[in-house]
Every structure is written in structure tokens, then in C-alpha cells.
Amino acid sequence: QLASHLSECSDCRGKLEKLAGDRSNWQRVSNVLRDETNGDEDDFLEGSEHRPGDFIVDFLKPSDNAESLGRLGNIEIRAFIGQGAHGIVLKGFQEELDRLVAVKVMAPHLASVATARKRFAREARAAAAIVHPNVMPILQVDSNGQLPFLVMPYMDCETLQQRLDREGALQLLDVLRIAVQVARGLSAA
């Protein structure tokens, strides 16, 4: 339907061509790649308009399951959860183990950089070595695919930010409880 619309609508086709040819977009991509190879992607991404989640999940394999967006290895991807500076998080289902999982997928602009892929694999190994009640375990890592990803248990809950947005400032007891849990997790790491 989209291809048909674009072949008939000169306004949309013109806008798409303008976006694809906009040098400022290509310059941002060039900056990300250059800064990533220099190890400065965090500084660059914080102040930029770059949104790594702005890509279609075309890396997924087709699925026979109508509830799925597609497959990533042995995982049926059910939904998009969120995005960060370095990739996206998807809700998946491992049929063989009958469990929901969260899948963190590296953004394409980073996956094309060898140093970023190596750092991803190193950090995944380090995180998988931590076994502690206040640290989310790593269940699986694939750092060799088109887009590297890691798999963690899926938690059906709101984030701390969502809770703060909903309730406002937390009571002192809640702040202390959360701080102790974070400190214990960091200590284990």
C-alpha cells in the first residue's frame, strides 16, 4: 500500500526524497560513526537529535505466529518496549522455555562499528558474570548476528521514571529502600 501510494503521490515522494537527500541527516550519521570509533558516542548522543530507535525492525525473520512482529533467533518478538541511546528493547517469547523475555538489540549505527560490537560482547560477558538479586541476569547473548542482542527476563512493571511521573516525589523510606537495592547491585558488579 505504501509503495502504491508513493508511486501516485508526488508530494509524499518529494518529501521522502528530500529526507533521504538531506545532508544534515547524513552529517549526523557521519558524526555518530566518527565519534563511535573514537569512543565518544555518549557525549555525542546526549546533545544530538539522533534517535537510534528510529529504524524499522527489518532485521527480524518472518514468523508464522500472528501475535509476533517476527523472529530473532529462537525468540518470537511480540512488541516494542522502548529505546535508549544505544538500541531498542523488545518483548519476546521463547517458545521452547515457555517464557517472556526482554531483548536488548544494538542500534544499527553502532552495529556497523567494530569497536562498538567488541565492547557490547565484553560488557555482556561482564554483566552475565554477576549473579545477585538486585541485578537483572543475562540469559543469552548473540554478538555475531546482523544486530547484536542480549536477552534478559521480562519484567511486567513500570519504570522508576514512570512511577515518579505518576506519583511525584517518593517518600523517604521508598528512596532509601531503592538506594540500598541499587547500592547492593553496584557492589555486586
Side-chain angles (χ1 to χ4, degrees):
Q1 288 176 338
L2 179 63
S4 174
H5 176 79
L6 286 174
S7 67
E8 297 173 10
C9 180
S10 60
D11 284 343
C12 289
R13 197 171 47 252
K15 288 177 185 176
L16 184 61
E17 290 169 357
K18 183 179 177 191
L19 285 172
D22 185 351
R23 294 220 176 263
S24 66
N25 288 333
W26 292 111
Q27 185 61 47
R28 283 200 306 264
V29 169
S30 173
N31 289 343
V32 166
L33 292 174
R34 183 184 62 248
D35 291 341
E36 175 60 22
T37 57
N38 294 332
D40 298 332
E41 80 280 10
D42 291 330
D43 296 336
F44 174 76
L45 289 171
E46 280 180 17
S48 76
E49 296 175 34
H50 179 73
R51 295 180 310 194
D54 288 347
F55 63 91
I56 299 171
V57 287
D58 58 356
F59 57 90
L60 297 176
K61 303 286 186 243
S63 172
D64 295 330
N65 188 325
E67 295 178 27
S68 295
L69 300 174
R71 291 185 67 83
L72 186 58
N74 67 336
I75 303 168
E76 292 283 341
I77 301 301
R78 299 277 172 87
F80 170 83
I81 295 175
Q83 70 184 47
H86 299 104
I88 62 172
V89 180
L90 303 167
K91 179 180 179 181
F93 183 74
Q94 290 180 316
E95 293 175 323
E96 202 170 313
L97 299 172
D98 194 29
R99 68 179 175 192
L100 289 171
V101 292
V103 183
K104 289 187 170 186
V105 181
M106 181 183 270
H109 74 280
L110 295 175
S112 64
V113 179
T115 55
R117 291 179 79 96
K118 287 178 188 173
R119 185 171 52 192
F120 176 88
R122 187 176 58 246
E123 290 177 3
R125 277 192 302 274
I130 303 167
V131 178
H132 190 274
N134 297 114
V135 178
M136 188 65 70
I138 305 295
L139 304 174
Q140 177 184 344
V141 176
D142 182 339
S143 56
N144 297 318
Q146 178 185 358
L147 294 179
F149 66 91
L150 58 85
V151 180
M152 303 181 325
Y154 173 77
M155 305 302 288
D156 190 13
C157 60
E158 66 184 347
T159 66
L160 179 57
Q161 185 61 57
Q162 289 168 333
R163 182 175 172 191
L164 290 170
D165 292 344
R166 182 174 48 80
E167 293 182 9
L170 300 176
Q171 294 183 10
L172 180 59
L173 257 162
D174 288 332
V175 171
L176 292 174
R177 182 180 49 79
I178 292 168
V180 166
Q181 291 174 356
V182 170
R184 288 180 178 154
L186 288 172
S187 177

